[in-house]
Amino acid sequence: MIVLLILLCITDGVLSQIRYSVPEEADHGTLVGNIAEDLGLDLTKLASRRFQVVPSSRTPYLEVNLENGVLFVNEKIDREQICKQSASCQLNMEVFLENPLELFRVEIEVVDINDNPPSFPETDITVEISESATPGTRFPLESAFDPDVGSNALRTYDITTNNYFYLDVQTQTDGNKFAELVLEKPLDREQQAAHRYVLTAVDGGQPPRTGTALLVVKVLDSNDNVPVFDQPVYTVSLSENAPVGTLVIQLNATDMDEGLNGEIVYSFSNHISSRVKDLFSIDPRTGRVEVRGEVDFEESSLYQIFVQAKDLGPNAVPAHCKVLVKVNDLNDNAPEITFSTVTESVSEKAAPGTVIALLSVTDRDAEENGQIHVEILGDVPFKLKSSFRNYFTIVTDGPLNREQLDSYSVTVVARDKGTPSLATSKSIRVQVSDENDNAPTFTQPIYDVYVTENNVPGAYIHAVTALDPDIGQNALICYSILECDIQGMSVKTYVSINEETGYLYALRSFDYEQLKDFTFMVQAKDAGTPELSSNATVKVIIVDQNDNPPTVLAPIGKNGTAKEPLPRSAEPGYLVTRIVAMDADDGENARLSYSIQRGNENGMFRMDWRTGELRTARRVSVKRDPHQLYDLLIEVRDHGQPPLSSSASVLVVLVDSVAEGRGGGDRGGAAKGKEGTLDLTLILIIALGSVSFIFLLVMIVLAVRCQKDKKLNIYTCLTSECCLGCSSCCSRQARARKKKLSKSDIMLVQSAGNVSGAGTAQVPVEESGSFGSHHQNQNYCYQTKHQRAELSYLVDRPRRVNSSAFQEADLVSSKDSGHGDSEQGDSDHDATNRGHSSGADLFSNCTEECKALGHSDRCWMPSFVPSDGRQGPDYRSNLHVPGMDSVPDTERGKGFASSFRVDIPETA
C-alpha cells in the first residue's frame, strides 16, 4: 500500500516537497506515484521545461519517468540493509523544472514488512544456577535479534511451561526487548542437575514470526553471597572522537564472601550489542571501561553498556548494572557543498536575478556546530539566494560585459558556527556568452590614400581596418562602399573593396589632369543580430606623374614651322619672338625651360630659359647673305622625372625693316589666303588698335565730366562782390574746382532782422563728386550740415550774395531726381503735406542754377512764404558763400527778408 502526502510551501518560487511511502521488497516496476500529477504540473511541458532529477539525489532503488513524472521501483528495496535498525527509513530525491526554476523535494518512506523472524545468537543457551538461589532470583538471557522494526520487531519471549522458572520480558530505553529467567521454585541439584526448555522469541508481525533456542539450566552447588554494584545505573559523558584507551567509567562491585567466592570478575552482559563491544572494552579485574573504537556523535549520541560482576566461587551468581554513555558533539565535520545544476554560460545581456547554479549545503554536526553561513567570495556580479531549507541559488547581481571579462570563477564558501569554525569552499566557472553590443570601429575616421596616376586597373591601393571587440559571428566584419557619384558616375566604377579584408582596389586608371581627388565612405558591418555598423571616410588623392609633354602654343607656323622677321638693323637684345608653351601636368612636372637645340651655331641668338623669349645676342653681320635664313629648333623641356620635351621650328628671316617683314608676311598671306590663317603681326596690330580706341573713349568721358564741373563752378561766383569785379572769389573758386558739387553739399539757411540766431539744418542728398587730395585750409562756397529733417534759416549772417538767377522758378515736385537722397520722400509724396500755406505753391520751378546742382528735371528747393501771407523776396536771391572775403558793413544794410546759404565742407 502506497501512501501519498503532499506538503505545499512556497519559498522564493520553489514548491517545497511531496512525500510517498512504499513497502520494502516491492518488485521492479511497482508504481510509487506520479510526481507531475500530484504536484499539478502540466505534463505537456515537462520536456520543454527540462524536468529532471538532481544528480546528487539519485538512488538506484527508485526511478522517475521524465516524460510523464511517474515514480516507480527500480530495484528491490531491503529496508534492513538500507536503514539497519533505524525506526524511520526514508529515501530523499530532488527534482526540478527550468524556465522558471522550480525545485521539489520528494521523500519516500520505506515501510517495513515482517520478512525477518527473530533469531538467537546461538541455538543452545546454557545458564548455570546455584541450587542455593532463592526464588525470585533473576537470570538475564541472551536476547534474540529481529532486523525488522516497529510492529514487526521482537515483541516478546516465551518458554516451555515448567514448575521452576518463568520469563519476565522487559523493554530497554531504545525499545528493544530482553528476557530474564526468574526462579520461581528452589532448585535441588540432587533431584535434577539440569533443566532443558525451549526459549521462543516472537515478533509483532501479522502473522507473527518466531525464533527458538534450547535453554539448558545447570544446577550448581551454592555460593551464598553475590557481588553488589554501587548503583544499578551509571550515566557518563564522552566526547566524540575520543582516542582509544580513554577512560569511560571505573566500575566497582563488592562481594561479602572470601577467597574465590569474593574475588570479582567484570564482563559485558550477554545481551549487549556487538557495536558496543566494538567501541568499548572492560577490564575483567578492575572494571575499567575504556574506549576501544572511534566514537562518532553523528552515528549515535547515546550508548548503553550492560556490565555484570561475578565472583570466582562455585555456583557464583552475577550482579548486573547499566552504563549510559552520552556522546558530546564536536565540530569535526566541515560543511559539505553539492552543486545540483550549473549553467554552462550566461548571456552578457542577462537580467539581474538570472539563475546560474543550484546548490545545497549540509553539516553532519548538531546545534551550533551544524549551523552554516554561506557566501560568495570576491567582487563578482553574482549573489546567493536562499531557496528552500539548505538549498541556494546563484543568480546574477549586476550587468555583465564579455568584452571586459569573458568568464568568472565563482567561489562559494560555507562556514559553520562551531569552535573552531570549519569551512568548505567550491568553485564553478561561469562563461559569459557574447551579444552583439559593439559596432565595428575603424582605426581611423579618415583615410588619406595617395594613388599615382596611370595606375594599373585592379591594383591594390590601400586597406581599411575595423575592429569589433565581440567574438564569433558578432565580430565577423563585412566591408562595403556606400553609394555616391563621382563626376556623374557611381563610385563603385572607380574603386572596389574586399568584403573580408577591407583591401581597396582601383577599378580604373586614374588621370590627374581629369580628376585630382575624390572622397567616398566605407562601411564596416558585423554579422550579429541585430547588425551594427560604422562608417569611415576615404579620400583618394591622385598623385601627378610626368605623363604629358609640353605643348607649344605660339608662335603658330605652317607645316610646323613659324616664320619670324629680323631687321638687319636690330640691336643686341632685340625680341624676335616669344615661345609660349604649356604642360598639362602639375608642379615640377609643369615647370618648363626653353633652349635652342639647333641653328644657333654662330651664337646669333640667345634664349631666356624661363620666359621663352628669343632675342638677338649681337648685331646682324652685313656680310651675311641677305636671303639666308636662320632655321632654329627650339626645345621646351619640363622638370619631371623623367623629363619630357617638345620642339618648335622657328624660321628667322632677315629683312631691311620691320614694316617690310610684316608686309612681306601680309603679301605672302594674301597669296595664300585660302589657308585662312592670320600671322602673329596682324593679331598684334588689331590688339593695339583696340587699346587706342578704348583710351580715346575714356578721354571723351573725362572731358564731359570736366565740362560739368566747369558749369557748377559758375555758382560759386554769383555773389555781387564777384560780379562787380572782385576777381578774388572767382579765382579762389577756380582753384577749388577739384571738387564736384552735388546736392549733398547744399545747406539752406533763413535769416530775419528780429532773430538773433538760428541753427542749421542739413539736406541729406547723395554726394556724387569727390575732392582733390590737396585742399587743406581752403574755403569753399558750399557746405552741408545734417541736423534735422526740416529747413531752418539763420539771421544776420555775413557774405550774402544777391543773384537774380533764382528769380525764375519752376514748379517743384517732391520726386527725387535720382542723384541721391532727397529731403522730400518719393514721388508719391504730396507737396501739400509739406507746407503750411493754403492754396499757395510751396515749390518754385527749377532754374538753370538748380539744374547745375544736379536736378536737371525738377527742383527740390521750397518757396519761402511769410507768416502774414505776403509774398516775400525770393530766398533764392540770397546765396551765402562761406570762405569768401567778408562783406563790408555797408553791404549788410542791403538786407533782404530772408537769406539762402550754401556751404561746402572741407575735406582732407
Side-chain angles (χ1 to χ4, degrees):
M1 181 177 182
I2 300 173
V3 178
L4 167 66
L5 177 62
I6 301 178
L7 299 179
L8 298 177
C9 178
I10 302 296
T11 304
D12 291 333
V14 179
L15 193 60
S16 61
Q17 68 181 23
I18 184 172
R19 177 175 293 178
Y20 296 94
S21 62
V22 60
E24 65 172 329
E25 305 294 334
D27 295 332
H28 172 75
T30 300
L31 176 65
V32 179
N34 191 313
I35 298 175
E37 290 183 355
D38 295 335
L39 293 174
L41 302 178
D42 188 352
L43 299 180
T44 61
K45 295 183 179 179
L46 293 181
S48 63
R49 295 185 62 186
R50 297 183 62 187
F51 178 71
Q52 54 186 303
V53 179
V54 175
S56 60
S57 66
R58 290 183 179 275
T59 174
Y61 304 105
L62 298 171
E63 189 62 48
V64 178
N65 188 326
L66 300 180
E67 296 180 358
N68 54 22
V70 172
L71 177 65
F72 59 93
V73 176
N74 188 42
E75 290 183 9
K76 183 176 290 187
I77 304 174
D78 188 351
R79 183 190 179 284
E80 289 74 25
Q81 181 181 355
I82 297 174
C83 302
K84 306 299 181 183
Q85 291 298 111
S86 176
S88 175
C89 185
Q90 182 175 289
L91 298 177
N92 296 321
M93 179 182 296
E94 287 84 29
V95 296
F96 67 96
L97 293 166
E98 296 182 354
N99 301 321
L101 179 66
E102 291 183 290
L103 175 68
F104 304 95
R105 181 182 179 89
V106 182
E107 296 180 356
I108 303 96
E109 181 182 5
V110 180
V111 180
D112 182 50
I113 64 174
N114 193 21
D115 57 339
N116 294 287
S119 61
F120 289 92
E122 297 178 0
T123 57
D124 293 334
I125 299 175
T126 300
V127 178
E128 294 178 349
I129 301 176
S130 173
E131 63 178 349
S132 60
T134 59
T137 303
R138 296 175 176 271
F139 303 93
L141 301 178
E142 285 194 39
S143 297
F145 175 73
D146 192 336
D148 296 326
V149 295
S151 60
N152 297 322
L154 180 64
R155 182 175 59 84
T156 186
Y157 293 88
D158 197 7
I159 192 173
T160 306
T161 304
N162 61 87
N163 295 326
Y164 294 97
F165 302 95
Y166 69 91
L167 292 178
D168 184 11
V169 180
Q170 297 187 19
T171 302
Q172 298 179 5
T173 57
D174 58 359
N176 292 328
K177 306 285 187 179
F178 68 94
E180 290 182 341
L181 185 64
V182 181
L183 182 61
E184 189 178 19
K185 180 180 178 181
L187 298 175
D188 186 355
R189 181 179 176 279
E190 285 72 20
Q191 291 183 359
Q192 189 175 353
H195 300 264
R196 288 179 172 80
Y197 308 104
V198 176
L199 182 62
T200 303
V202 182
D203 64 20
Q206 294 295 332
R209 290 176 174 267
T210 60
T212 59
L214 178 61
L215 177 62
V216 178
V217 179
K218 292 182 178 181
V219 181
L220 303 176
D221 289 339
S222 64
N223 182 8
D224 298 340
N225 296 290
V226 298
V228 177
F229 284 99
D230 296 336
Q231 57 189 68
V233 178
Y234 297 90
T235 301
V236 295
S237 296
L238 178 67
S239 297
E240 67 171 329
N241 301 326
V244 175
T246 300
L247 174 66
V248 178
I249 190 172
Q250 177 68 56
L251 296 177
N252 182 43
T254 58
D255 192 325
M256 300 300 294
D257 295 330
E258 293 181 353
L260 292 178
N261 292 335
E263 188 176 345
I264 300 173
V265 176
Y266 300 91
S267 64
F268 291 128
S269 298
N270 294 331
H271 57 274
I272 194 173
S273 66
S274 59
R275 181 57 179 166
V276 172
K277 292 180 180 180
D278 293 337
L279 296 177
F280 304 99
S281 64
I282 188 169
D283 190 315
R285 294 294 181 180
T286 62
R288 179 185 175 90
V289 179
E290 296 178 351
V291 175
R292 180 183 179 185
E294 183 178 354
V295 180
D296 190 357
F297 174 84
E298 288 70 39
E299 179 182 349
S300 179
S301 61
L302 179 67
Y303 293 95
Q304 297 183 72
I305 304 175
F306 295 93
V307 180
Q308 68 178 10
K310 184 170 64 174
D311 58 33
L312 298 178
N315 303 322
V317 177
H320 300 273
C321 73
K322 181 171 64 174
V323 179
L324 297 178
V325 180
K326 294 182 178 181
V327 180
N328 297 328
D329 182 39
L330 294 179
N331 192 24
D332 59 340
N333 292 282
E336 297 179 359
I337 301 175
T338 304
F339 282 92
S340 300
T341 179
V342 177
T343 303
E344 294 182 358
S345 63
V346 59
S347 171
E348 62 178 327
K349 285 189 176 180
T354 301
V355 177
I356 303 302
L358 174 68
L359 59 96
S360 60
V361 182
T362 57
D363 194 321
R364 298 176 59 195
D365 294 323
E367 296 179 354
E368 288 189 354
N369 296 331
Q371 296 179 10
I372 307 172
H373 173 70
V374 186
E375 63 180 352
I376 294 179
L377 286 183
D379 184 14
V380 293
F382 302 98
K383 67 177 181 179
L384 279 173
K385 188 176 181 181
S386 178
S387 294
F388 172 72
R389 289 187 180 177
N390 56 342
Y391 281 87
F392 298 87
T393 55
I394 300 177
V395 299
T396 57
D397 190 34
L400 304 176
N401 190 336
R402 190 207 63 80
E403 289 70 38
Q404 294 181 357
L405 194 61
D406 60 355
S407 65
Y408 292 89
S409 178
V410 182
T411 301
V412 180
V413 177
R415 189 183 308 274
D416 60 30
K417 296 183 179 180
T419 303
S421 179
L422 299 179
T424 301
S425 64
K426 273 193 176 182
S427 299
I428 60 173
R429 174 68 62 175
V430 179
Q431 299 291 335
V432 181
S433 61
D434 185 47
E435 294 288 343
N436 193 26
D437 55 348
N438 292 280
T441 303
F442 282 95
T443 56
Q444 299 176 220
I446 299 177
Y447 292 87
D448 290 332
V449 181
Y450 293 88
V451 181
T452 304
E453 66 171 333
N454 303 320
N455 59 287
V456 178
Y460 165 84
I461 59 175
H462 200 67
V464 296
T465 304
L467 305 177
D468 195 323
D470 296 323
I471 59 174
Q473 287 293 113
N474 298 332
L476 188 61
I477 299 176
C478 177
Y479 298 90
S480 62
I481 297 177
L482 298 182
E483 186 62 47
C484 68
D485 288 342
I486 299 175
Q487 293 185 342
M489 299 184 66
S490 173
V491 67
K492 295 183 180 178
T493 64
Y494 286 79
V495 291
S496 67
I497 192 169
N498 187 302
E499 294 183 351
E500 297 179 356
T501 62
Y503 291 172
L504 291 170
Y505 300 93
L507 296 181
R508 61 172 65 186
S509 180
F510 298 120
D511 188 352
Y512 175 83
E513 288 71 37
Q514 296 181 3
L515 181 65
K516 291 181 172 52
D517 61 73
F518 61 92
T519 302
F520 60 92
M521 302 283 288
V522 293
Q523 184 181 78
K525 182 186 297 183
D526 60 31
T529 302
E531 294 179 342
L532 300 178
S533 63
S534 63
N535 300 335
T537 301
V538 178
K539 184 176 182 180
V540 178
I541 303 170
I542 311 302
V543 180
D544 183 41
Q545 274 190 333
N546 192 24
D547 58 344
N548 291 282
T551 301
V552 178
L553 302 179
I556 301 174
K558 297 177 181 179
N559 299 325
T561 302
K563 290 184 179 181
E564 296 294 338
L566 176 61
R568 294 180 182 275
S569 61
E571 296 292 330
Y574 175 81
L575 176 62
V576 178
T577 187
R578 182 175 184 269
I579 308 300
V580 180
M582 66 165 291
D583 194 317
D585 292 322
D586 196 9
E588 286 296 305
N589 297 330
R591 190 162 65 88
L592 305 179
S593 61
Y594 303 85
S595 63
I596 302 174
Q597 294 295 313
R598 189 186 71 239
N600 193 30
E601 289 78 6
N602 56 3
M604 180 64 191
F605 304 96
R606 60 182 174 86
M607 173 69 71
D608 190 319
W609 70 274
R610 293 185 181 86
T611 63
E613 293 180 347
L614 179 64
R615 297 180 182 271
T616 57
R618 58 180 174 79
R619 289 181 178 274
V620 178
S621 175
V622 296
K623 297 180 180 180
R624 191 172 181 85
D625 186 358
H627 298 291
Q628 187 172 353
L629 306 177
Y630 290 94
D631 188 5
L632 303 179
L633 181 64
I634 309 300
E635 182 186 57
V636 183
R637 180 183 298 270
D638 61 28
H639 288 73
Q641 292 297 329
L644 300 179
S645 64
S646 297
S647 61
S649 179
V650 179
L651 191 62
V652 181
V653 181
L654 291 175
V655 296
D656 293 334
S657 64
V658 177
E660 180 183 348
R662 299 291 183 263
D666 292 342
R667 289 191 296 271
K672 298 180 181 180
K674 59 182 180 179
E675 300 293 336
T677 60
L678 297 177
D679 60 10
L680 181 61
T681 304
L682 181 59
I683 295 175
L684 294 176
I685 293 173
I686 294 173
L688 182 60
S690 299
V691 172
S692 301
F693 175 75
I694 294 174
F695 178 75
L696 180 60
L697 183 62
V698 171
M699 295 299 294
I700 294 173
V701 173
L702 292 177
V704 172
R705 296 190 65 179
C706 289
Q707 182 66 21
K708 185 176 179 180
D709 290 342
K710 182 178 181 181
K711 289 182 180 181
L712 183 61
N713 194 44
I714 295 174
Y715 289 91
T716 65
C717 300
L718 291 180
T719 62
S720 59
E721 292 85 348
C722 289
C723 294
L724 289 176
C726 181
S727 62
S728 61
C729 175
C730 292
S731 62
R732 286 194 302 269
Q733 304 307 322
R735 289 193 301 270
R737 282 187 300 179
K738 294 181 181 179
K739 178 179 188 305
K740 182 180 178 181
L741 183 65
S742 67
K743 68 178 182 180
S744 61
D745 301 324
I746 304 301
M747 181 179 69
L748 302 180
V749 180
Q750 178 185 9
S751 62
N754 58 352
V755 180
S756 60
T760 60
Q762 298 176 354
V763 180
V765 293
E766 178 182 344
E767 182 177 349
S768 61
S770 60
F771 290 87
S773 60
H774 303 285
H775 292 277
Q776 296 288 340
N777 301 323
Q778 294 201 25
N779 297 320
Y780 299 95
C781 296
Y782 303 96
Q783 182 176 358
T784 62
K785 296 182 181 179
H786 193 281
Q787 292 183 349
R788 59 180 181 269
E790 63 182 49
L791 298 175
S792 64
Y793 300 90
L794 184 63
V795 179
D796 197 17
R797 296 286 294 179
R799 294 185 296 275
R800 292 187 292 274
V801 180
N802 186 9
S803 175
S804 61
F806 290 88
Q807 293 180 1
E808 295 181 7
D810 296 330
L811 185 61
V812 178
S813 167
S814 62
K815 180 178 180 182
D816 192 353
S817 65
H819 295 280
D821 297 339
S822 175
E823 187 65 15
Q824 314 303 323
D826 294 331
S827 61
D828 57 352
H829 182 75
D830 190 356
T832 58
N833 295 333
R834 306 211 26 214
H836 299 283
S837 60
S838 59
D841 292 337
L842 301 180
F843 300 94
S844 302
N845 294 331
C846 286
T847 64
E848 292 299 328
E849 293 85 345
C850 285
K851 295 177 182 178
L853 293 175
H855 296 273
S856 60
D857 52 352
R858 299 178 185 272
C859 182
W860 49 269
M861 300 181 186
S863 298
F864 177 74
V865 180
S867 60
D868 56 0
R870 292 182 291 106
Q871 180 68 33
D874 192 348
Y875 68 90
R876 295 175 296 175
S877 62
N878 297 321
L879 180 64
H880 174 67
V881 183
M884 296 176 59
D885 295 337
S886 302
V887 179
D889 294 339
T890 57
E891 294 293 7
R892 293 186 184 179
K894 301 178 183 179
F896 300 91
S898 62
S899 65
F900 174 71
R901 187 183 70 184
V902 180
D903 294 337
I904 300 177
E906 292 183 9
T907 59

